[in-house]
Amino acid sequence: MLKNRTIVAVVDDDPSMLNAAETLLDAQGFATMVFASAEEFLDRGAVTQVDCLLLDIHLGGMSGIELRQRLKGSGSMLPVIFMTALDDDATREQALKAGCVGFLRKPFEARQLINAIKTAVP
């Protein structure tokens, strides 16, 4: 069976952010999987199931940067869009070095997220 919707994984330790992202993405026609931690994302084997990863940088436990580096080290080409409430030059530089395709500062507008996903998964 062919998949007809882009599947976006959202990893954030803020339950309200997970709920808001899932609601928005579902309303825009994306399929969404949500995870409260990087470890949960890895444990559930989601990397092989999704088309794009919306990833908070500052998580309890493994950070978003660490997760991206781990995925990259295992050969994953999964496009990653980082998001953070703590935007500074050092954080942005780390995200770019880790290989993100998008960088969003929380709070961000819905259209910014949708545009970032459409750029990451044409």
Side-chain angles (χ1 to χ4, degrees):
M1 176 186 285
L2 292 175
K3 174 174 72 165
N4 59 358
R5 294 196 320 166
T6 298
I7 303 171
V8 180
V10 183
V11 180
D12 198 310
D13 55 0
D14 178 353
S16 63
M17 181 61 193
L18 288 177
N19 185 49
E22 183 173 31
T23 300
L24 169 67
L25 294 173
D26 286 347
Q28 293 295 315
F30 297 98
T32 311
M33 298 173 71
V34 297
F35 305 91
S37 70
E39 292 84 358
E40 181 184 359
F41 175 80
L42 291 172
D43 289 347
R44 292 193 26 211
V47 70
T48 61
Q49 301 171 36
V50 301
D51 301 304
C52 183
L53 177 58
L54 177 61
L55 180 58
D56 190 18
I57 290 176
H58 302 284
L59 299 165
M62 183 187 304
S63 75
I65 300 284
E66 291 169 323
L67 174 58
R68 174 63 183 125
Q69 290 170 335
R70 186 166 173 180
L71 293 173
K72 195 172 164 182
S74 69
S76 172
M77 300 297 286
L78 181 66
V80 173
I81 301 165
F82 280 121
M83 58 182 168
T84 185
L86 305 171
D87 184 17
D88 58 32
D89 289 340
T91 301
R92 190 174 286 265
E93 185 177 329
Q94 283 183 319
L96 293 172
K97 281 184 179 177
C100 68
V101 297
F103 187 92
L104 302 172
R105 187 184 191 290
K106 294 179 191 178
F108 46 82
E109 294 181 17
R111 68 177 168 74
Q112 291 175 293
L113 174 57
I114 301 308
N115 289 340
I117 293 170
K118 288 181 177 179
T119 298
V121 185

